[in-house]
Amino acid sequence: MPDTPQSLADRLLLEGGRVVEFFNQIRTPQWSQPAYPGQGDWNLHALLAHFLSAELGRGELISQVAQGGSGAPPDFKIDEYNLLGVTKLEVESNVTLLDSFWTERVKLAEFVASLSQNDLERRGNDPFLGQTTLCEIIKLTYRHNQIHIREVRGNL
């Protein structure tokens, strides 16, 4: 079945709901637990801040490419962006971060549903994928969360 704006929007909502469900199951003492023991100093709270930061950034990227933009600059430094985003947002509470993530995900899904099939073929630079279609940029937006959650579940 070909990807359509509505099917991608539905998938964004489905996977966004799974993110909310995952973080709603975290108990208070777990929030300060390392997300990736031995691989950095992000705890689960910082990971949630990363999810919101990435959601905001990817929303901007998707909008820009959909409007004919070229995507991320070739010299975009994803690790620096992630570090700055987490540092900025991790001062917020878990509840605020999760509510903001869901609000942004709903807005993104609504925007994606409003696109045309031709819009999905627009090309732009994704910081991780390189030059690709808007369709693939959208898919990575929900896959990014899936990958992190799959990895973190093994550490809980």
Side-chain angles (χ1 to χ4, degrees):
M1 177 171 137
D3 294 310
T4 66
Q6 188 60 56
S7 70
L8 292 169
D10 292 345
R11 189 65 186 262
L12 283 164
L13 290 174
L14 174 68
E15 296 302 333
R18 288 180 176 156
V19 167
V20 171
E21 181 181 313
F22 171 79
F23 283 108
N24 276 332
Q25 294 175 359
I26 302 298
R27 295 186 194 99
T28 301
Q30 290 177 300
W31 282 104
S32 59
Q33 184 175 330
Y36 301 101
Q39 300 178 26
D41 53 0
W42 276 6
N43 57 27
L44 293 178
H45 178 78
L47 181 64
L48 179 54
H50 168 62
F51 276 25
L52 175 55
S53 175
E55 193 72 16
L56 292 165
R58 295 197 67 76
E60 290 174 15
L61 175 68
I62 289 166
S63 175
Q64 194 242 66
V65 173
Q67 294 171 23
S70 59
D75 61 348
F76 184 85
K77 306 237 181 319
I78 195 166
D79 291 335
E80 287 178 24
Y81 176 86
N82 288 337
L83 181 60
L84 288 171
V86 169
T87 301
K88 176 182 167 189
L89 291 170
E90 69 183 340
V91 299
E92 301 294 339
S93 72
N94 299 326
V95 171
T96 298
L97 291 172
L98 198 54
D99 287 349
S100 296
F101 169 84
W102 182 248
T103 297
E104 292 302 319
R105 180 53 63 97
V106 169
K107 286 190 330 192
L108 180 60
E110 289 171 352
F111 178 75
V112 168
S114 76
L115 298 174
S116 72
Q117 197 65 37
N118 286 340
D119 289 332
L120 296 180
E121 296 307 314
R122 290 182 186 271
R123 297 187 67 80
N125 187 48
D126 181 275
F128 184 77
L129 297 172
Q131 285 294 321
T132 191
T133 64
L134 183 57
C135 182
E136 291 304 314
I137 292 171
I138 294 166
K139 287 180 182 181
L140 182 60
T141 301
Y142 60 77
R143 288 177 177 158
H144 166 255
N145 301 130
Q146 291 173 333
I147 293 165
H148 277 296
I149 288 175
R150 189 176 305 124
E151 292 172 344
V152 168
R153 268 203 176 108
N155 296 327
L156 294 179

